[in-house]
Amino acid sequence: MTEKSMARSDFYTGIALIAFGLAVTVMALQMPPVTERGQSPYSAPGLLPALLGGVIIVLSAVMFVRAVRKLRGEFTLSRGGVKNFFAETGTRRMSLTIFLCLAYVLSLGRIFFPLATFLFVFIFVLVFEYEKAVPVRAQKKKFALAALLAGITSAAVTGVFQYIFLVNLP
Amino acid sequence: MFEGIEMFGAALWGFLNVRTIFNALWATQLGIVIGMLPGLTATMGVALLTTLTFHMAAGDAILILICMYVGSIYGGSRSAILLNIPGTPANAATTVDGFPLAKAGLAGKAIGIATTGSFLGSVIGMFTMALFTPLIGSVALEFQSFEFFWFAIFGIVICGNLTAPKDPLKGWLAGFLGLFVAMIGMEGIHAYVRYSFGSTNLSGGIELIPAMVGAFGFAEIITVMRFTKFEVVKTKIDRTLPRLAEITRYWKTIVRSGIVGTFIGAVPGVGEDIAAWVSYDLAKRSAKPEEAEKFGKGSIEGLLAAETGNNACVPGAIIPVLTLAIPGSAPAAVLLGAMLIHGVRPGPLIMLEFPTFVYEVVAMVLLSTTSMFILGLLMVKSLVKVLMIPRQKLMPIVFVLCVVGSFSISSRLFDVGVMIVFGLLGFLLREMDYPMAPLVLGIILGKMLDNNLRRSLVISDGDITPFFTRPICVALFAITLIVILSRIPWVTAFVRNIKNRLRPPRSPA
């Protein structure tokens, strides 16, 4: 990240963290004071969370002010910058990874675990190895290797956890 | 003293069986491989293996985790030398001299030096650990809630300061966010459920291991998948076993780096990467002029300093785990979590409750260090092939293990969700230069801080003077305050100004 974009991210994170700190403090202050049960007021469950909320507000406020000084009014993101970020190969690869991983996790408990694992590994490998420009026939080996890796992973993980560690897999 | 040696001997004797040695060998080898692969760090390895060894006997599981820890911190040097990319953050200083040596056709020699340095570092750290753990343990018995409160704050501030040298504010923010995470769920004094929003799962709190598997596993998978592939330096790997003279020449550097590495390891949350850089920097400053010139261009001394420092940090980081239940580094935090899972209660009472365990851990470090030395010098050429495994084939398997590992501890899909949330959060925070170590330390220290703050205030009936008058509290408070003030620009400018005024004026030449 460049200094400018870091300052911009600090600006927005600062706002979010101040709001978060406020929420933490308000909720902490709403916690019971425990004095009505004859307990010491210093043992109240909201004591530390309220202090933590306060510290988070102070630290994020410092970060926010520092970012404002660095940005000198240039708070908004440029359309071109956002476009470039999403057009980058790295961003696309990361988004694809997150999407595939989330899809796998969401399938757990809905699809038979060994099948879900097989499909996840198989699709993951192929998505990153498949080349559009090359005909499918020429990429048969890639398909076979992906299937082999997925099969071995699924069988090994299921076998070890289900039958050796006795974990009831989702 | 003799009792300690006796307990160490008994522990070592107990480990000399085929099963234990086999476990030590495979776990260390796996550690080396994980350390070698850029993106797979020691913390991730230990966290993943904690979930995989969850069903094993406590002794076996902790041995395996220590072997993984030692192996992966060493293993990272391999990719640092051959790829110019540190396998784990701990090996960043290794790249400075390791890669130039490899480019000069001395990859085998560099690997041998790194292996020997790591071995000697671990041995120095192990001796320090055996010597100081009982001592610190007996001092820690005197600590009360006031001291533990300051230890928690001190840990967060120091860790935040050192792990985010460019911007300590972010380190501290990460630490306090971690402390907040520890507030979620049922608290220990009145059993009041905080920040759970009616969720039964959240009322049990956030489990450390799934959170760490996410922050160090899933987050790293996303980062690694961003890039396509690495280039391995094309070099001949010949003799790896270094000549004795090559090592003995630098004995001062080895001893200095070993002690510095161990000491840095013992500071809460400050891990192997800082230990390596500090050792490297000290070696550079105290090197002879002709040697100092070689630093950054392929210096054996520089490489030795970095690798001795980072591996010495491992036993160092275990010292506060055992004596104070405060982790010295991120992987040590997972180790602490694993010990708690397996029924060992580290902390000031360890020398009374589990005195033999401390020496068992020392014996485990010796076993893992020896395994690392042997395995590090063997199979060098064949292991280089591991670096060529395409990431798209490796990462889905790692993710499956992250998922199953998080799930297997409590058989709850909620923990998988925790892993995902912490993975995404960890990724975003790291992109914005927030270090992960203070966050993890915060999650661990949160409960300790909460209970000890409230207990202290109840004991003193709301009087805060004991926090500032007890000797250890004064020392911890003073260090914490100095660290904070030293990072505030206007304070440093003010101090510099006063210094300049106090300096006697130079007489005109």
Side-chain angles (χ1 to χ4, degrees), chain B residues 302-324:
Chain B
L303 178 60
L304 256 179
E307 276 305 304
T308 310
N310 65 20
N311 263 75
C313 183
V314 175
I318 302 177
I319 299 174
V321 166
L322 294 173
T323 53
L324 300 167

Side-chain angles (χ1 to χ4, degrees), chain B residues 132 156 220 252 258 286 302 308 311 349 412 421 441 463:
Chain B
F132 281 97
I156 294 295
E220 273 159 21
K252 277 187 196 167
S286 47
T308 310
N311 263 75
L349 290 174
R412 295 191 303 179
V421 169
L441 195 66
D463 180 11

Side-chain angles (χ1 to χ4, degrees), chain A:
Chain A
M1 264 195 207
T2 60
E3 205 181 324
K4 210 81 189 185
S5 56
M6 185 60 84
R8 207 166 280 134
S9 87
D10 286 353
F11 174 78
Y12 290 111
T13 328
I15 296 173
L17 284 175
I18 291 171
F20 176 73
L22 275 171
V24 168
T25 314
V26 169
M27 278 191 261
L29 294 175
Q30 285 167 349
M31 287 177 195
V34 299
T35 40
E36 71 269 20
R37 282 193 272 162
Q39 304 278 350
S40 163
Y42 304 109
S43 70
L47 183 71
L48 184 66
L51 291 174
L52 289 179
V55 175
I56 292 172
I57 293 171
V58 171
L59 292 177
S60 13
V62 173
M63 188 169 75
F64 174 76
V65 172
R66 204 180 55 182
V68 169
R69 278 189 193 163
K70 272 187 196 164
L71 286 171
R72 289 181 196 161
E74 294 173 50
F75 302 126
T76 49
L77 298 164
S78 69
R79 192 170 281 183
V82 175
K83 216 173 177 182
N84 283 346
F85 173 76
F86 284 106
E88 273 177 24
T89 323
T91 313
R92 264 184 289 156
R93 287 177 65 94
M94 281 190 310
S95 318
L96 210 51
T97 306
I98 296 171
F99 173 75
L100 289 171
C101 292
L102 288 181
Y104 172 56
V105 167
L106 289 174
S107 76
L108 296 176
R110 294 182 175 88
I111 304 178
F112 183 49
F113 177 80
L115 179 65
T117 305
F118 175 86
L119 288 174
F120 168 67
V121 179
F122 181 70
I123 295 170
F124 196 103
V125 175
L126 274 188
V127 161
F128 286 101
E129 288 199 345
Y130 184 75
E131 290 167 80
K132 268 187 202 165
V134 182
V136 178
R137 246 190 242 166
Q139 299 190 64
K140 266 184 193 167
K141 205 178 157 190
K142 278 182 193 166
F143 279 83
L145 274 175
L148 185 69
L149 186 72
I152 293 172
T153 308
S154 173
V157 171
T158 311
V160 169
F161 280 88
Q162 190 105 45
Y163 301 108
I164 299 178
F165 294 154
L166 303 174
V167 175
N168 276 324
L169 291 169

Side-chain angles (χ1 to χ4, degrees), chain B residues 93 96-97 250-265 273-289 291-293 295 299-310 312:
Chain B
V96 182
D97 285 303
Y250 303 112
W251 69 270
K252 277 187 196 167
T253 304
I254 293 169
V255 173
R256 189 197 317 110
S257 309
I259 293 170
V260 166
T262 314
F263 175 75
I264 291 177
D273 43 346
I274 310 279
W277 280 118
V278 174
S279 304
Y280 183 83
D281 190 49
L282 286 176
K284 195 176 174 182
R285 281 165 196 247
S286 47
K288 289 173 189 156
E291 187 67 47
E293 270 179 30
F295 274 70
S299 157
I300 300 282
E301 192 176 355
L303 178 60
L304 256 179
E307 276 305 304
T308 310
N310 65 20

